Amino acid sequence: MRLVKTLGCFSIAMLAAISSALAQQPADATEQEIERYRAMISDPMANPAFLNVDRGEALWGQARGSKAVSLQGCDLGEGPGTLEGAYAKLPRYFKDADRVQDLEQRLLWCMETVQGLDTKDVVKRRFSGPGVVSDMEDLVAFIANKSTGMKFAVSIAHPKEQEMFSVGEAMFYRRSAIMDFSCATCHGEDGKRIRLQGLPNLSKAGKPAQETMGSWPTYRVSQSQMRTMQHRLWDCYRQMRMPIPDYASDGITALTLYLTKQAEGGALLVPSIKR
């Protein structure tokens, strides 16, 4: 027991020393060390999210629901069953649903209408955790991976897409809740940082937005789980102490459309791996 306590104290002391050393370095040197860490974990062959990709592929072809059919009849915008490039153009307007939908919204719609599946359990398991496997995370990993290497090209040509983009932009800047935060509080200027983590400026189109949006979905080493943009935005609202948004809500889709438009022209490299 004494040895365990000693090792624990030693580990805490080491972490404190490393943090202190990094804090005393110039900002560019700190970023270099963080980039070195990212490079160490970036090998795709060591990325556990590809297990999600494999499970998602099996789910895509599995017959389920009252209609006993697979999701291969689901149209993600490029035609029923066509996945290549579909994720790079989402969110988008779908005439059959008469809504702008992101990938998770569209998958739930297809599960209910194409498969006749009761999605209550799917939504309950929307985010994975210890002993909980998420169908949605697996499907997103599989489908997004079919667009890896392709460039974002979302449309705001349809009036409903224009409306959603405007709503998403307003949400990005809207300050609210007890901390009076907005997305722009952290992501509205260059050079911001939280602890040792650099914060990309997502208020303007360009490289920071491209690299950020192009790396989701991702495997989070710190959480030992694969995460989607739905989870990232959910967690941001939680950290801002705002009311938690409903899963696959129009608000999250609007914000995703705005952020994805900011990343236009950037390439997807997914699933990625992050700290």
Side-chain angles (χ1 to χ4, degrees), residues 91-93 99-102 105 160-161 164 250 253 257:
R92 66 188 297 169
Y93 173 76
R99 293 175 65 189
V100 175
Q101 297 175 316
D102 73 347
Q105 278 185 320
K160 291 198 174 183
E161 292 170 341
M164 288 293 264
D250 286 340
T253 297
L257 179 59

Side-chain angles (χ1 to χ4, degrees), residues 27-43:
D28 56 346
T30 299
E31 191 61 34
Q32 288 174 8
E33 288 301 307
I34 294 171
E35 286 300 325
R36 190 164 69 90
Y37 163 73
R38 288 173 179 154
M40 291 168 62
I41 64 172
S42 64
D43 184 355

Side-chain angles (χ1 to χ4, degrees), residues 28-256:
D28 56 346
T30 299
E31 191 61 34
Q32 288 174 8
E33 288 301 307
I34 294 171
E35 286 300 325
R36 190 164 69 90
Y37 163 73
R38 288 173 179 154
M40 291 168 62
I41 64 172
S42 64
D43 184 355
M45 298 304 294
N47 186 346
F50 282 93
L51 297 175
N52 298 84
V53 172
D54 291 342
R55 290 197 300 266
E57 182 176 14
L59 280 170
W60 180 257
Q62 182 181 345
R64 297 200 294 178
S66 62
K67 300 180 183 179
V69 296
S70 73
L71 282 168
Q72 291 170 345
C74 179
D75 184 358
L76 298 179
E78 299 301 296
T82 301
L83 302 181
E84 287 74 13
Y87 186 71
K89 298 178 182 178
L90 291 170
R92 66 188 297 169
Y93 173 76
F94 289 92
K95 186 176 180 179
D96 52 9
D98 193 28
R99 293 175 65 189
V100 175
Q101 297 175 316
D102 73 347
L103 179 55
E104 283 93 327
Q105 278 185 320
R106 186 63 180 174
L107 284 172
L108 289 173
W109 187 90
C110 284
M111 287 176 183
E112 293 166 359
T113 60
V114 175
Q115 294 183 301
L117 181 69
D118 185 343
T119 58
K120 289 180 182 177
D121 180 62
V122 174
V123 173
K124 183 179 180 181
R125 294 182 292 108
R126 60 196 179 277
F127 303 138
S128 57
V132 178
V133 176
S134 169
D135 290 2
M136 295 301 289
E137 288 178 346
D138 291 346
L139 283 165
V140 170
F142 167 61
I143 295 165
N145 180 248
K146 290 294 185 179
S147 290
T148 200
M150 300 181 185
K151 294 182 177 181
F152 283 115
V154 295
S155 169
I156 53 171
H158 192 278
K160 291 198 174 183
E161 292 170 341
Q162 295 169 10
E163 179 183 25
M164 288 293 264
F165 177 84
S166 296
V167 170
E169 183 177 26
M171 289 178 64
F172 183 82
Y173 289 102
R174 178 178 170 79
R175 303 174 73 100
S176 187
I178 60 173
M179 298 178 72
D180 194 33
F181 271 22
S182 70
C183 302
T185 303
C186 292
H187 297 287
E189 298 176 30
D190 294 334
K192 285 197 169 185
R193 183 184 299 276
I194 181 169
R195 298 183 293 276
L196 296 177
Q197 182 69 35
L199 296 171
N201 183 354
L202 303 178
S203 67
K204 59 184 180 181
K207 187 177 179 180
Q210 291 172 346
E211 291 181 345
T212 298
M213 299 303 291
S215 63
W216 291 86
T218 189
Y219 183 82
R220 299 297 301 270
V221 174
S222 58
Q223 299 177 20
S224 300
Q225 303 293 340
M226 209 286 302
R227 297 304 189 198
T228 67
M229 181 53 64
Q230 281 273 344
H231 185 276
R232 175 65 274 172
L233 295 178
W234 171 87
D235 201 35
C236 282
Y237 274 97
R238 180 189 65 82
Q239 292 181 67
M240 289 190 288
R241 305 299 188 267
M242 289 191 183
I244 301 299
D246 290 339
Y247 181 71
S249 66
D250 286 340
I252 292 298
T253 297
L255 186 53
T256 302

